[in-house]
Every structure is written in C-alpha cells, then in structure tokens.
Amino acid sequence: MNILITGGAGFIGTYLANKLSENNEVTVIDNLYRKNELELNNKVKFLGESIIEDIEDLISQNDVVYHLAAISQVMTSIEEPELTYKLNVEATKNIVAACTKHKKKLIFASSREVYGNQDKLPVKINAELNPENPYAASKVAGEAIVRSYGNSYKLDYNIVRMSNVYGYGDVDRVIPKFIEMFKTNKDIELYGSEKIIDFIYIDDVVEVLVKLKEKSGLILNLGSGIKTTLLELANLIKELTPNSNSKINILNERHGEVGKFQADISETKSKLRWEPKTSLREGIVKIFNYQNKE
Ligand SMILES: NC(=O)c1ccc[n+]([C@@H]2O[C@H](COP(=O)([O-])OP(=O)(O)OC[C@H]3O[C@@H](n4cnc5c(N)ncnc54)[C@H](O)[C@@H]3O)[C@@H](O)[C@H]2O)c1
C-alpha cells in the first residue's frame, strides 16, 4: 500500500512510519514544528512541508492517510489558539475533503481530551464530549468534520481517541520531563498529586494504528485502561532512578488541564482483537534501556 502520514516525523508518527515502511511505501509530510529525538528510517520518503499548503495531489497518490499533524499539546493550544484552529480544524477539513474526493481511507488522531472531566471512570466511547481547552475543542471539531464527510459523502474513516502516549524519543511531556529531572537531580513539581492519567506505551499504540488501516467506521478509545496518579508515576520513576536525590513537590493543577482520565477500552479490545501488552513499569524500563544505548 501507499501510505501518507501527516505529522509523521512527530513522536507517534515516526514509530508508525518506521513500522509501516516494513511492508508499505510510506511518505511523511511534516514541517518539523515540534522536535523529538527520533529518526525516520531511510525507506520512508520525507517531505518537509506544511499541511497548511494544498496537499490534495499528495493525498491522491496514496491509499491510506494517517492524519497526525497537529498542535499536539494542551499548553501550546492555550498559548496559540489561532494556530491550533488553523491547523487542527481548517487544515483537517481540507485533508478530509481531499480524502473524500479521491476515495482514500483516513485515520484521524483524536484525543482523550475530547471528554474533558468526567464523573464516571473508565470513560466509555459514548460519554458526552466536554472539551475544556482549545486543543480539545479542535479535536472535537476535527472528529465532527470527519464524521460529517463519512455520513454525507461516504468518506472511509476511523477515529482513535488516544490517552497519554509515552516512549523513548518524546520530549516535553510528563514522562520524559520526570525522567530527565530525576536523572539530573532536579526537584519534581507535581501539578495536583491526585491527577489521574491513563498512560499507554507507544508500541501498543502503533499496533492499533496499523490494524486500523484494514477497518472502517470505527471510533475507538486507545489507552491502557489503567489509572495512574501523577504521584504514583513520580514514585515509580524515582524507584527506577535509585541514585537520584530529587524531591517531589506538589503544586496546584494547571488551568485547562483534565484532572482525571481512564479509558474504557473494551470495544477497542474486542473490535481489533488487541490487548495492551506493556505495563507502565516495563515501558519506562524500555525508555531507560534505549537511553543507556545512546
Ligand atoms: N502523544 C500523545 O499522548 C497523544 C495523545 C492523544 C492524541 N495525540 C494526537 O496524535 C497526533 C500525534 O501526536 P504526537 O505525540 O506524535 O505529537 P507530535 O507533536 O510529536 O507530532 C505532531 C507532528 O505534526 C507536525 N506538524 C505541526 N504542524 C504542522 C504543519 N503545519 N504541517 C506539517 N506538520 C506539522 C509536528 O512537527 C509534529 O512532528 C497528534 O494529532 C496529537 O494531537 C497524541
């Protein structure tokens, strides 16, 4: 298959592109807006361009489009709402329209942020959407556009609402930040110790994304289904960094960030015959092992 990945030089995109390139012709379009420590392999064709440009021709040359390019962090979206909507909504609409016109399958990377804060955990796929920041709103809008083209013009699509994905090579998110701080003996600041996060390891995510290219019309949660508090995470990384003398300080939660989330992944498991395989402890040990090889 010919596969296009927007944002394919990003954290998730690089793992996905490298995996898919084993059996497919993979093209990545990414303007390198957000950096990481990963490299695409030399089988992947890289285009260093923006998806804000017209990419209809590029889409027409592929069979499947994974649309991952986005402002991908809540804090960036709060600082740059205009850019967030331009990219995550407007550019998404153009990609959706091009996939519809050329009859290409679209897999849209959505987020658990669409649910906002929910009273009942784990959060089911049909829970009411409650976006609480520009990033979340942009993903709700992106999903709505995708679904509307599915209903009105038979766009072939899948939507995946990912929880917090982690793995070697990502930067500027809670797990890489904590690891770096424990390793360099800096004190850790927790924005709300009781904040609950559902962490999922990158390989488990890539397995689902690869399976989705054979599916149609699915809207799925993609998490581990396991709750972890920030304090548990910090303690786990501290335990795995025994020589660190960092201290853990607990601060107030940051405005606009979701306080607790755990995904209900029962449909994802049954519809894809998939199970998350890597525990948080195993995933963090894998990151340490990769870092030790650097
Ligand atoms: N990582 C997570 O925990 C997580 C969770 C839920 C959803 N998601 C979604 O999954 C997708 C991938 O996430 P990620 O963690 O790999 O994020 P990422 O920021 O590492 O990847 C996104 C990529 O898009 C690129 N990009 C930004 N603007 C662009 C533009 N104008 N043209 C072309 N490329 C552009 C960036 O350079 C980056 O490489 C995003 O849509 C994100 O919102 C991620």
Side-chain angles (χ1 to χ4, degrees):
M1 271 183 173
N2 291 323
I3 296 177
L4 176 65
I5 308 176
T6 74
F11 166 53
I12 298 173
T14 303
Y15 279 93
L16 177 66
N18 288 346
K19 179 71 191 167
L20 285 169
S21 72
E22 290 169 9
N23 303 307
N24 303 277
E25 296 297 320
V26 178
T27 304
V28 154
I29 179 165
D30 194 311
N31 67 353
L32 305 181
Y33 174 84
R34 197 177 90 91
K35 299 277 182 300
N36 56 55
E37 292 162 356
L38 299 163
E39 271 182 37
L40 291 165
N41 71 36
N42 54 20
K43 282 195 274 173
V44 176
K45 185 173 165 200
F46 174 74
L47 303 171
E49 292 160 25
S50 172
I51 58 155
I52 290 174
E53 305 305 316
D54 183 357
I55 63 166
E56 184 180 333
D57 272 358
L58 189 58
I59 288 173
S60 72
Q61 293 153 21
N62 286 276
D63 305 304
V64 176
V65 177
Y66 285 89
H67 180 33
L68 271 53
I71 297 303
S72 66
Q73 291 177 291
V74 170
M75 291 313 289
T76 317
S77 83
I78 291 172
E79 285 154 16
E80 301 218 43
E82 298 293 334
L83 178 62
T84 302
Y85 291 121
K86 191 171 168 114
L87 185 62
N88 296 16
V89 182
E90 255 181 77
T92 295
K93 193 271 288 168
N94 294 338
I95 288 170
V96 167
C99 286
T100 306
K101 180 172 167 192
H102 296 281
K103 299 196 170 17
K104 308 300 180 184
K105 186 186 290 282
L106 176 68
I107 295 153
F108 179 62
S110 186
S111 165
R112 58 105 182 179
E113 287 283 340
V114 297
Y115 296 115
N117 260 317
Q118 301 275 333
D119 293 333
K120 264 179 95 179
L121 298 184
V123 179
K124 289 195 191 321
I125 198 74
N126 58 3
E128 193 180 327
L129 304 186
N130 181 28
E132 294 185 357
N133 53 62
Y135 173 74
S138 75
K139 289 293 182 182
V140 171
E143 285 195 13
I145 293 165
V146 171
R147 293 174 75 167
S148 72
Y149 274 72
N151 290 331
S152 303
Y153 314 110
K154 298 198 167 55
L155 168 68
D156 182 1
Y157 72 87
N158 294 298
I159 293 172
V160 63
R161 294 176 181 159
M162 292 181 277
S163 304
N164 286 53
V165 187
Y166 72 99
Y168 171 74
D170 197 14
V171 293
D172 203 27
R173 286 193 174 116
V174 61
I175 290 185
K177 275 190 193 163
F178 278 13
I179 292 177
E180 173 70 16
M181 290 173 92
F182 277 112
K183 283 194 165 179
T184 55
N185 297 311
K186 297 207 175 78
D187 290 348
I188 303 290
E189 300 192 329
L190 293 189
Y191 295 97
S193 64
E194 291 313 308
K195 185 165 169 174
I196 291 170
I197 301 186
D198 178 328
F199 290 106
I200 179 149
Y201 188 62
I202 183 69
D203 289 356
D204 289 323
V205 167
V206 168
E207 195 187 336
V208 165
L209 293 175
V210 169
K211 280 174 182 273
L212 283 179
K213 73 184 188 333
E214 313 300 334
K215 302 282 179 186
S216 291
L218 296 180
I219 302 173
L220 297 172
N221 282 336
L222 178 48
S224 62
I226 294 168
K227 296 189 275 193
T228 304
T229 66
L230 268 190
L231 190 55
E232 286 167 342
L233 174 72
N235 282 327
L236 174 61
I237 298 177
K238 190 178 168 81
E239 183 197 326
L240 294 170
T241 335
N243 297 327
S244 174
N245 45 37
S246 303
K247 286 197 287 296
I248 299 172
N249 300 322
I250 298 169
L251 307 175
N252 290 335
E253 266 184 43
R254 288 191 293 192
H255 190 64
E257 285 195 311
V258 174
K260 56 182 170 68
F261 184 76
Q262 175 193 22
D264 180 321
I265 55 169
S266 48
E267 279 190 33
T268 320
K269 285 179 171 177
S270 62
K271 291 196 169 141
L272 298 181
R273 300 219 172 104
W274 163 90
E275 289 273 347
K277 296 187 184 70
T278 310
S279 71
L280 185 57
R281 175 180 290 270
E282 288 164 346
I284 291 171
V285 169
K286 283 186 187 200
I287 295 177
F288 279 111
N289 290 342
Y290 280 118
Q291 288 179 338
N292 291 339
K293 283 192 213 143
E294 273 173 2

